[in-house]
Structure formats: C-alpha cells, structure tokens
Amino acid sequence: MKHILNKLEDMSIFANDFAKELNPNESSAKVVGLYGDLGSGKTTFTQSLAKYFGVEETIVSPTFVILKIYNLENQKFDRLVHIDAYRLESSEELLKLGFKEIISDPKNLVLIEWPEKVAEIMPEHTKIYIKHTEKYDSREVEVE
Ligand code: ADP
Ligand code: MG
C-alpha cells in the first residue's frame, strides 16, 4: 500500500497508524525492514514508533552503536530493538550482537535500517520503503 506524506508531521501519523495495526507473532519477533536512501526518514519513523510505544528516552540514530534496545512498559511488545546495519561490513557482526536471539523472541519488535546490508540473515519481515520526492519534506512510503 502506498502513502504520500506531505510533511514531516505526516510521518508520525503514518507511524502511529502502523503501530496500531502491529501485532506480535506467536513464535518469533516482529521484524520490520526500513528501506530507503540516507535522509529518507528511517530513523524518524523509528522515533515516532518508539514514542507511540511510550519510549521517553531520545532515540538517536544507532549508526555508531549498530544496535539499541529500549524496554517498553505495558505494551504489546516488551522491547523495541533498533538496528542500523549501514556501517556493518558483514552479517557476521550482527550475529555477534545476538541477532538470532533477538529475532526469535516474540516479545521483541525489531526495526532494521539498511536491511539490504544483512539480507542473507534477515528473517521474514514487513518491508517499509521510504522515498524522497521533489518536495523536500514530502515522502512516498510503501508497506509490503
Ligand atoms: P534516515 O534514517 O533514513 O537516514 P532520518 O530519519 O535520519 O533519515 O532523516 C530524515 C530527515 O528528513 C530528518 O531531518 C527529518 O526531519 C526530515 N524530514 C522532512 N520531512 C520528512 C518526512 N515527511 N518524513 C520523514 N522525515 C522528514
Ligand atoms: Mg537513519
């Protein structure tokens, strides 16, 4: 399904709508791959989603830490795991950070920026494609 976001605030509306319909899997984590160029809004989407799930901590881009885990309170998931694979040189590096355990826990909601980088270890996941448009604060978003 394609969505046109006309301005920055529309991203949080989109994230809220997405979060409302999100439900845990029975025997594995819910994994969402965020596809899009640098500056398209993958981190911004994650920030909105985290806010929806009550995270008060500021969500920063995990580019330099690769993986960050936020504990959620009284939500349908117990943890939001934010991964940025941009700087990874191999999937092995992510496996070393406990990726297999993370994606096997149904209490985890896992958001991965640059999933292309670790395509060979990505489990079945919801794909969100974010694209720039001619207008600088407008985006085209597609969920698959
Ligand atoms: P990425 O993680 O994909 O590299 P970021 O989320 O870090 O991208 O950056 C997106 C930038 O674009 C932010 O500075 C954000 O404020 C800006 N922006 C402007 N309009 C939008 C929009 N409609 N949706 C998402 N981000 C937007
Ligand atoms: Mg980012």
Side-chain angles (χ1 to χ4, degrees), residues 46-47 49-59 69-73 75 79-80:
T46 306
Q47 287 165 339
L49 209 64
K51 199 167 174 196
Y52 174 91
F53 285 116
V55 175
E56 285 176 2
E57 229 178 301
T58 314
I59 296 253
I69 300 177
Y70 300 89
N71 289 315
L72 308 178
E73 274 168 46
Q75 302 291 337
R79 282 166 296 275
L80 185 154

Side-chain angles (χ1 to χ4, degrees), residues 5-12 35-47 61 63 82 84 113-114 130 132 135-139 141:
L5 311 180
N6 289 307
K7 52 187 191 304
L8 179 59
E9 298 77 62
D10 290 351
M11 182 55 100
S12 66
Y35 297 79
D37 293 340
L38 215 59
S40 57
K42 302 179 295 298
T43 301
T44 303
F45 170 80
T46 306
Q47 287 165 339
S61 170
T63 298
H82 187 195
D84 189 337
E113 299 189 37
W114 299 100
I130 310 174
H132 285 99
K135 240 186 86 203
Y136 96 104
D137 58 349
S138 163
R139 300 288 186 275
V141 180

